[in-house]
Amino acid sequence: MSNEKGIAASNGPTPSYGVTEAGGSYNRHAATQLAGATLALPLLEKAAQDLLLNAGDQPVVIADYGCSQGKNSLAPIRAAIAVLRKRISRHRPICVVHVDVAENDFTTLFEVLDTAPDSYFLDDPDVFPSAVGRSFYHSVLPPDHVHLGWSSYAAVWLSRIPAMIPDHIWPASSTGEVHAAFERQAAQDWETFLALRARELRSGGKLVVVLPGIGDDVSSAAKSRLGDMMDHANSVLSEMVAYGLITTEERVRMVLPSYPRRRSELLAPFGQGRRFGCLLVEHCAVFPFTDAAWTEYERDGDDAGLAARHAGFFRAAFLPTLASALAPDRGAEGRQSFIDRLAEGLRRRLVGHPAPLQLLAQVIVLAKQAAT
Ligand SMILES: C[S@@+](CC[C@H](N)C(=O)[O-])C[C@H]1O[C@@H](n2cnc3c(N)ncnc32)[C@H](O)[C@@H]1O
């Protein structure tokens, strides 16, 4: 049987691509993603300012595609609401729909919304948060429903694994036919994501998508600090197989379908006219930035602290996906101990090799053409 998660349906447990570590772990280790998303806030505010608002008192709808546990959604959604509130009456309802896969830690999301001092709705009784637990590679909201879409560091995750990667876990470290299969899958998924969001947006609505980027040289990702971390994780996995901690079959299933796109890949569906169906590219920017952990290291010189923070970032973002390839009978405890061991092995390998995560945040702003 095949489903949108591809090969794994017949080969083993159903994986959860991109699902972040639960128990609020992602929220504690996602400063890097927040730094990238923060660079997009002026563009999100401009989109909120420019989007077409119908008169009347119908709710204004904001969708957050790939919300994880919510901490990193607070600032962008707050910024968007602040702009919208200046355009609409104080009591016009604003509905915020957080979308993520069903396995996501929605409990933490709602706790954060209820308790974080910077939560976007605590001081506005006419803002109504809710959530959808379904892949954004399906329709998740009705047609012509969303005024403003936001998606940060989520559409980098593919809908399926198109090929196994011999001796590695990361598509950017693959070559030849295997890399080409990921390229094709990424192109297809990006078009699917755009077509579905175009349907959900209202005419005159806007969609702002933030994604990790790579340079034009395909091999640049593999040569980066993140590429080093992927290599180290891969080596730790080999050791775990050698020590009998995981089986060869489990190791073979471990692939991270996380595919940072080049700018040209992001823009490919839109062609010369910068148009894909009814979606028009209004802006496409690339922002280089260095992770906050490195800035802290430059201040305090704490190599072990840097290694721990980089391992924490890697763990929360990537290890649950690898753990989902373990045999089902290992249970939650087995998955947890796998994650602990792998993260610790990675941390040890990073100590003594301090380096910054030099990153690119790509931001694309799309407008759904208003009907004439
Ligand atoms: C790295 S987190 C980003 C969270 C947050 N938006 C941020 O900027 O920090 C990626 C999120 O995308 C979600 N995700 C990945 N694939 C998805 C899919 N097909 N449908 C919905 N959410 C998905 C993951 O479950 C995860 O919560």
Side-chain angles (χ1 to χ4, degrees):
M1 192 180 83
S2 160
N3 61 11
E4 77 149 352
K5 290 184 169 180
I7 47 171
S10 56
N11 284 358
T14 305
S16 312
Y17 303 145
V19 78
T20 51
E21 190 176 26
S25 168
Y26 179 76
N27 280 349
R28 291 191 293 278
H29 296 290
T32 299
Q33 293 86 337
L34 181 63
T38 301
L39 297 166
L41 290 191
L43 290 168
L44 178 67
E45 287 168 334
K46 181 165 170 19
Q49 182 61 44
D50 295 348
L51 64 83
L52 189 67
L53 275 175
N54 45 327
D57 54 7
Q58 289 301 301
V60 176
V61 178
I62 302 176
D64 174 21
Y65 297 102
C67 58
S68 186
Q69 296 153 16
K71 182 164 178 278
N72 285 0
S73 298
L74 299 181
I77 303 298
R78 174 175 276 281
I81 289 173
V83 173
L84 289 168
R85 270 284 170 245
K86 288 191 191 138
R87 299 185 59 199
I88 59 177
S89 80
R90 227 178 95 210
H91 294 299
R92 183 162 170 184
I94 297 179
C95 295
V96 182
V97 188
H98 296 283
V99 178
D100 210 294
V101 292
E103 303 90 331
N104 182 51
D105 178 5
F106 285 107
T107 305
T108 297
L109 169 88
F110 285 110
E111 263 168 34
V112 165
L113 296 183
D114 259 343
T115 58
D118 55 341
S119 177
Y120 59 77
F121 89 114
L122 294 182
D123 51 2
D124 189 333
D126 294 299
V127 172
F128 300 92
S130 62
V132 172
R134 193 169 197 227
S135 166
F136 52 49
Y137 292 116
H138 293 296
S139 279
V140 287
L141 288 164
D144 302 314
H145 186 68
V146 175
H147 291 83
L148 180 61
W150 165 256
S151 180
S152 167
Y153 286 88
V156 62
W157 288 97
L158 305 182
S159 65
R160 61 187 287 271
I161 294 172
M164 289 306 174
I165 306 175
D167 301 324
H168 217 289
I169 51 173
W170 197 36
S173 298
S174 67
T175 53
E177 250 318 294
V178 173
H179 194 271
F182 278 94
E183 252 175 32
R184 285 192 297 274
Q185 187 65 47
Q188 189 185 316
D189 282 348
W190 181 225
E191 290 204 2
T192 301
F193 181 87
L194 292 171
L196 290 166
R197 302 301 78 83
R199 196 158 167 267
E200 291 163 0
L201 272 182
R202 299 172 68 94
S203 280
K206 310 268 182 180
L207 173 65
V208 180
V209 184
V210 186
L211 284 166
I214 55 167
D216 290 335
D217 171 9
V218 182
S219 65
S220 63
K223 290 182 201 144
S224 65
R225 169 71 159 181
L226 184 57
D228 284 348
M229 287 159 80
M230 293 286 175
D231 288 347
H232 285 312
N234 200 44
S235 303
V236 177
L237 286 172
S238 300
E239 285 168 11
M240 290 172 92
V241 174
Y243 289 129
L245 297 170
I246 58 173
T247 65
T248 307
E249 293 71 38
E250 287 172 320
R251 165 62 194 90
V252 165
R253 280 199 297 267
M254 288 179 187
V255 173
L256 293 170
S258 167
Y259 183 93
R261 293 173 177 87
R262 299 186 296 278
R263 188 172 190 271
S264 55
E265 291 176 293
L266 215 54
L267 289 172
F270 301 94
Q272 291 291 335
R274 292 212 147 196
R275 193 180 299 268
F276 175 72
C278 56
L279 288 183
L280 188 70
V281 178
E282 290 202 321
H283 208 94
C284 183
V286 181
F287 300 102
F289 69 106
T290 303
D291 66 308
W294 179 253
T295 313
E296 210 166 316
Y297 168 75
E298 286 187 312
R299 227 180 6 249
D300 63 18
D302 179 3
D303 175 36
L306 178 70
R309 275 192 288 278
H310 278 176
F313 150 78
F314 194 91
R315 168 190 183 124
F318 298 116
L319 297 196
T321 298
L322 296 181
S324 72
L326 292 172
D329 61 7
R330 289 189 184 269
E333 215 172 291
R335 284 192 293 280
Q336 196 53 52
S337 97
F338 165 81
I339 287 175
D340 290 344
R341 276 177 202 270
L342 182 45
E344 177 53 16
L346 175 63
R347 188 196 65 76
R348 281 170 192 256
R349 281 169 173 265
L350 294 176
V351 173
H353 305 284
L357 272 169
Q358 270 156 341
L359 302 158
L360 295 178
Q362 303 197 91
V363 187
I364 187 160
V365 182
L366 305 167
K368 181 166 172 175
Q369 296 267 282
T372 47

